[in-house]
Amino acid sequence: MTSTIDQDHLIGTKITTDLWRNAVVYQIYPRSFADSNGDGIGDLPGITSRVPYLRWLGVNAVWLSPFYPSALADGGYDVDDHRNVDPQLGNLDDFDAMVAALHAADIKVIVDIVPNHTSNRHAWFVQALAAGRGASERDRYLFRDGRGRAGELPPNDWESIFGGSAWASSGDGQWYFHCFAAEQPDLNWENEEVREDFRRTIRFWADRGVDGFRIDVAHGLRKDLSEPYPPWGEIADLMRPDGSHPLWDRDDVHEIYADWRRIFDSYDPPRYAVAEAIVHPTRRARYASADSLGQAFNFAMQDADWRAEDYRQVIDTGLADMINSGATTSWLLGCHDTPRVATRYGLPLEDDCSAQQVARAWLLSDGAEPYLDRSLGERRSRAAIMILLALPGSTYIYQGDELGLHEVADLAPEVLEDPMASRSTTEKGRDGCRVPLPWTAQGPSYGFGAAIGHLPQPDWFGAYAVSVQEADADSTLTLYRQALALRDHLFAGSGLSWVESEPWVLHFARPGGIRCVTNFGTESVSLPAGQVLLSSAHLDHGRLPTDTTVWLRVP
Ligand code: NOJ
């Protein structure tokens, strides 16, 4: 055995001793989870009605993507009012009822904080446009004079993440900056009113009983918009190891989180936070440190291809780069921004493209090519989740991945909601993983609600429904449930040791004689003697078949 990594000695701060250190968090995309009133849009009472399912599944917490008032220019990440509920999803009483039901089921609640931008319908932005050039109302955002005789050209050539210019005209010679859609003007985090408003927002939800926060675009709040502007060609590579990018991952962003940390820690128990920080891997730990947000998503597994060496490298880096932060790693295989894991792993591997890139290209062809092997993708994604759940750290599960759902590739252009689809010429967008969940095999929206959902479900969705899978001992849903039930008492502590094996086998030991073995190869392999606790597919006469993970207890 080699390379033992043990993070137990790091336990010591409030944020790392609590349940969050190893929690399993289920991500709910509210508009696509459960629709209680038949308007085609999932809502908060719908979530409340499904609390028994979440408890049965065995998750420790849920993270809700935004449910705030929004015109849905970016799936709810264009927020009109950070301290309210979109009327289509319910109201604050519904929110309180949902939190009470989740807490009664021993499930914690995380909400999304979206501090980089508001929507263009937010009262502040409406005021900023009306107030005109030079008004203090404009200082809450990033307005700059345009180039050209009458300011008819944007201040520079910088591009938005969703494609096209990062500037939109206010019609009076000025332009406002938007990293994402034009309907998402970026806030100016040097403005004290902005800072105070988000302190208020955090307290507002914490006072309502929320246990934690997922911080959207955590790496983007501080910006250097001073002139001369570097040309886009010099800064288009967004991840730098030294904090020198004018837009992303600047060192002074952590002042904001040190401020928020005081608010989080003023509650008993302290409120939890996790950063969505898409940064150079060497910079992730800073966001996860005890004086910053406390945890940070590790997106590397979501980007990894189905290869033993890729997984090992991601695990080594994830565990090692957390050592200085004192946190654990937050693993995930998917979220509302990424083609579904079962699809990524069911498409052919290509040497010069990642599984994600292959899946995005496949989406552009409406799923026509290359050929998607659905059962292969499901088999591999089952093996993958067992790896994640066996690791030290917390694991995030995106709604529907527990059903082995695939991306919906053939959504017609007229139903697409994601601004990426309309702004970009090279992406179909993220709607394919946001299609409403199938709860039953039949019915107008497979049990999602009484009406057709806001994104149409394909015919094959019924076969993946919860009602079908909960009764099937071999289903993906049953595997998730069994794994979650076992996980709590199998994986104590945070030690992990690699067991050297064939290059196509990933094999690690956890304290208490527990082993996790995955066969990425094409032939079955032998297993160490021991008691099989769970397997992602049936064993082959005691041997581990291809694309399968097993948990074992060895003597
Ligand atoms: C990250 C969110 O996950 C994504 O869905 C959103 O489009 C951007 N942040 C902008 O808020």
Side-chain angles (χ1 to χ4, degrees):
M1 270 187 220
T2 57
S3 13
T4 297
I5 298 166
D6 195 328
Q7 298 182 315
D8 280 345
H9 66 286
L10 298 168
I11 296 177
T13 68
K14 278 192 205 172
I15 53 164
T16 55
T17 51
D18 56 17
L19 100 130
W20 298 109
R21 206 172 153 75
N22 291 304
V24 174
V25 184
Y26 183 90
Q27 183 193 352
I28 292 180
Y29 189 75
R31 288 173 178 81
S32 300
F33 186 67
D35 171 18
S36 72
N37 60 2
D39 64 357
I41 296 175
D43 46 41
L44 301 189
I47 297 172
T48 306
S49 74
R50 296 295 180 183
V51 169
Y53 170 75
L54 297 165
R55 186 180 169 84
W56 173 85
L57 185 57
V59 299
N60 304 117
V62 292
W63 150 35
L64 271 63
S65 279
F67 48 81
Y68 315 116
S70 169
L72 298 186
D74 180 20
Y77 284 90
D78 47 318
V79 179
D80 297 350
D81 175 357
H82 293 90
R83 295 185 288 274
N84 213 334
V85 174
D86 190 304
Q88 283 191 290
L89 273 68
N91 56 36
L92 285 168
D93 289 342
D94 294 325
F95 181 84
D96 294 341
M98 177 195 71
V99 171
L102 285 162
H103 282 170
D106 208 15
I107 297 172
K108 306 277 184 214
V109 183
I110 298 172
V111 301
D112 227 304
I113 297 288
V114 187
N116 181 65
H117 42 265
T118 67
S119 81
N120 60 344
R121 305 197 314 176
H122 191 285
W124 276 1
F125 193 70
V126 174
Q127 289 161 14
L129 284 185
R133 304 169 65 94
S136 60
E137 286 85 345
R138 287 206 173 180
D139 189 54
R140 296 170 181 141
Y141 294 91
L142 297 169
F143 280 84
R144 294 290 184 275
D145 289 337
R147 286 173 299 146
R149 283 183 50 178
E152 69 280 10
L153 297 171
N156 60 37
D157 68 342
W158 293 1
E159 291 178 17
S160 134
I161 296 284
F162 291 158
S165 173
W167 297 92
S169 169
S170 51
D172 51 11
Q174 284 212 308
W175 297 68
Y176 64 89
F177 185 72
H178 57 90
C179 280
F180 297 93
E183 294 87 349
Q184 293 166 294
D186 278 40
L187 286 163
N188 172 16
W189 271 88
E190 286 173 30
N191 180 302
E192 182 49 34
E193 268 185 286
V194 170
R195 290 170 178 260
E196 187 49 32
D197 198 67
F198 275 90
R199 289 183 197 116
R200 211 178 133 201
T201 296
I202 289 168
R203 288 196 197 97
F204 178 87
W205 294 111
D207 289 345
R208 288 198 108 86
V210 156
D211 305 283
F213 302 94
R214 178 261 189 191
I215 311 301
D216 189 59
V217 200
H219 56 308
L221 309 194
R222 295 303 299 269
K223 299 173 178 85
D224 178 6
L225 293 191
S226 58
E227 297 185 58
Y229 301 113
W232 182 247
E234 280 176 22
I235 60 166
D237 190 6
L238 305 178
M239 291 186 201
R240 290 189 179 172
D242 57 4
S244 66
H245 196 284
L247 300 177
W248 304 111
D249 188 29
R250 300 187 61 77
D251 290 330
D252 48 10
V253 77
H254 294 286
E255 289 165 14
I256 299 168
Y257 305 135
D259 179 35
W260 291 3
R261 171 57 48 205
R262 285 188 281 277
I263 303 177
F264 300 146
D265 287 352
S266 70
Y267 287 87
D268 183 19
R271 296 319 192 229
Y272 160 89
V274 59
E276 186 220 23
I278 300 173
V279 296
H280 193 276
T282 56
R283 311 259 304 171
R284 190 167 49 226
R286 181 75 188 84
Y287 292 82
S289 67
D291 58 356
S292 188
L293 290 171
Q295 279 200 345
F297 289 129
N298 182 344
F299 291 106
M301 202 70 99
Q302 193 178 249
D303 299 335
D305 293 340
W306 184 245
R307 291 193 187 98
E309 64 270 28
D310 291 27
Y311 266 67
R312 180 158 174 169
Q313 194 267 330
V314 168
I315 293 167
D316 273 338
T317 315
L319 297 182
D321 80 9
M322 288 295 110
I323 282 182
N324 291 333
S325 72
T328 56
T329 300
S330 304
W331 307 104
L332 62 142
L333 287 170
C335 68
H336 63 296
D337 290 332
T338 313
R340 283 204 182 266
V341 57
T343 301
R344 297 199 311 269
Y345 287 164
L347 291 166
L349 265 176
E350 288 179 23
D351 277 342
D352 48 351
C353 280
S354 69
Q356 268 214 45
Q357 289 168 326
V358 173
R360 289 181 199 281
W362 172 84
L363 274 173
L364 270 182
S365 79
D366 289 346
E369 59 183 51
Y371 170 71
L372 169 65
D373 185 336
R374 285 179 189 271
S375 66
L376 177 70
E378 289 158 36
R379 184 181 178 101
R380 289 178 171 172
S381 65
R382 291 160 58 109
I385 192 64
M386 279 187 60
I387 300 173
L388 265 68
L389 291 173
L391 292 171
S394 63
T395 299
Y396 282 69
I397 296 169
Y398 178 50
Q399 68 176 41
D401 280 355
E402 81 278 19
L403 304 176
L405 273 186
H406 283 275
E407 190 80 3
V408 181
D410 53 356
L411 291 169
E414 60 275 14
V415 304
L416 296 180
E417 297 171 354
D418 184 359
M420 202 180 256
S422 50
R423 292 186 67 96
S424 163
T425 49
T426 54
E427 299 278 353
K428 182 156 182 183
R430 301 162 292 177
D431 292 306
C433 66
R434 300 175 179 182
V435 174
L437 286 192
W439 292 92
T440 55
Q442 313 288 335
S445 56
Y446 301 110
F448 167 68
I452 302 291
H454 62 110
L455 287 166
Q457 298 153 305
D459 294 344
W460 48 266
F461 250 38
Y464 289 78
V466 171
S467 67
V468 175
Q469 297 200 36
E470 65 190 355
D472 176 356
D474 287 332
S475 71
T476 299
L477 179 58
T478 300
L479 177 77
Y480 266 74
R481 185 166 178 251
Q482 289 172 336
L484 293 184
L486 270 174
R487 181 182 187 269
D488 276 353
H489 47 94
L490 277 191
F491 300 108
S494 56
L496 181 149
S497 307
W498 290 112
V499 180
E500 295 307 338
S501 312
E502 297 94 330
W504 51 90
V505 173
L506 189 86
H507 187 164
F508 57 85
R510 297 293 317 273
I514 306 299
R515 301 287 185 86
C516 177
V517 192
T518 307
N519 180 8
F520 290 77
T522 51
E523 306 290 332
S524 66
V525 295
S526 60
L527 283 167
Q531 180 196 3
V532 174
L533 303 166
L534 189 66
S535 178
S536 66
H538 290 290
L539 296 186
D540 176 8
H541 303 285
R543 291 171 65 82
L544 185 65
T546 180
D547 298 326
T548 305
T549 296
V550 71
W551 291 350
L552 296 164
R553 181 177 276 120
V554 295

